[in-house]
Amino acid sequence: MKTKACLFDLDGVIVDTAKYHYIAWRELAKELGFEFTEKDNERLKGVSRMTSLDILLEIGGITLDDEKKLQLADKKNENYRSFILEMTPEEILPGTKDFLAALKEEGIKIALGSASKNAMTILDRLNLTNLFDAIIDGNKVSNAKPDPEVFLKGAIELGISPSECVVFEDAEAGVEAALAGGMKCIGIGSPEVLGKANLVVDGLHDMTLDKLASL
Ligand code: B16
Ligand code: MG
């Protein structure tokens, strides 16, 4: 298959923001009077902010009205933003810049497809914004992964057919979203979790144009 565009998830693929999400959700849980473990945090990866809060409240056995939930999500986000505003390009995951440069040289378009409403802030902090030909984030979609909307919008903005796109994802819901959109998917992480992907690698440091061409 000849790939014309690569679409990248952000958290877990380009940068590890999960650790900052974890600290902010853990502090919120503490205020609400229960413990939120790192294992619990795995359930929030790739999931939208409000769904993350619902999962957190379910773990704590707490029921709240929508107004209170919005208030708590805002509070968590303010705390989370205090961390990402301090991020530096050194936090870009290994191999990312080299692989993006190789794609550019090959004339392959690059897009971001992230559930995060903070994606622009993060890309700016990492000095990566200009490398992307299209950026679709949580502010531009109404349906969360595993719905393919985020990736389909990316393909439309790039003007490339989904069948010529490859998605890089670290979350199961993201892999499902890519496949539902008629795209190929390379999983970043463990083959046990991302078994549905066409190929699974450890990280972008493990990616080559040959592997891309082998799909
Ligand atoms: P925000 P991704 C996702 O990013 C994170 O994996 C997930 O943990 C987070 O809840 C979601 O973004 C929303 O983030 O609160 O910043 O809008 O993996 O889709 O790049
Ligand atoms: Mg992710």
Side-chain angles (χ1 to χ4, degrees):
M1 169 209 171
K2 176 88 184 89
T3 302
K4 291 198 178 158
C6 287
L7 294 90
F8 295 86
D9 174 54
L10 182 60
D11 174 31
V13 174
I14 289 176
V15 72
D16 177 21
T17 44
K19 58 184 179 213
Y20 302 128
H21 281 295
Y22 174 54
I23 297 170
W25 284 125
R26 190 185 57 195
E27 282 180 13
L28 185 68
K30 199 173 167 202
E31 280 172 36
L32 293 169
F34 65 94
E35 199 196 339
F36 180 66
T37 66
E38 225 165 330
K39 189 163 171 265
D40 293 330
N41 193 54
E42 286 301 309
R43 291 177 63 192
L44 309 191
K45 288 188 180 172
V47 169
S48 74
R49 192 180 310 162
M50 290 314 288
T51 307
S52 299
L53 177 63
D54 283 337
I55 295 171
L56 186 99
L57 293 174
E58 180 202 305
I59 291 167
I62 294 175
T63 312
L64 297 170
D65 62 32
D66 286 352
E67 198 188 327
K68 183 70 186 164
K69 284 207 274 187
L70 275 177
Q71 207 185 318
L72 292 182
D74 280 351
K75 189 172 187 187
K76 178 266 170 183
N77 192 49
E78 262 174 50
N79 192 4
Y80 172 67
R81 282 186 65 83
S82 72
F83 295 110
I84 58 171
L85 285 170
E86 299 296 319
M87 288 177 83
T88 69
E90 276 165 34
E91 292 182 58
I92 298 170
L93 288 172
T96 303
K97 289 194 89 168
D98 285 348
F99 186 57
L100 293 181
L103 293 176
K104 282 239 172 266
E105 208 159 295
E106 203 62 16
I108 296 171
K109 298 259 186 240
I110 299 168
L112 189 86
S114 167
S116 175
K117 293 186 172 173
N118 293 297
M120 285 306 297
T121 306
I122 297 166
L123 290 182
D124 283 346
R125 289 296 311 166
L126 302 177
N127 286 340
L128 288 178
T129 311
N130 293 337
L131 283 178
F132 288 86
D133 301 296
I135 295 175
I136 311 295
D137 65 11
N139 299 297
K140 291 190 179 171
V141 295
S142 16
N143 302 297
K145 301 167 188 175
D147 189 285
E149 183 183 4
V150 67
F151 297 128
L152 290 176
K153 281 204 164 143
I156 289 170
E157 208 161 292
L158 294 174
I160 309 264
S161 143
S163 63
E164 294 169 315
C165 292
V166 174
V167 169
F168 292 81
E169 254 294 347
D170 72 312
E172 194 182 7
V175 173
E176 287 168 5
L179 300 179
M183 301 179 183
K184 291 265 166 55
C185 186
I186 298 186
I188 303 283
S190 131
E192 280 113 74
V193 183
L194 307 172
K196 291 180 192 148
N198 302 92
L199 174 73
V200 180
V201 296
D202 266 354
L204 292 179
H205 60 277
D206 202 16
M207 264 315 290
T208 60
L209 292 176
D210 282 348
K211 285 189 185 173
L212 194 63
S214 75
L215 290 182

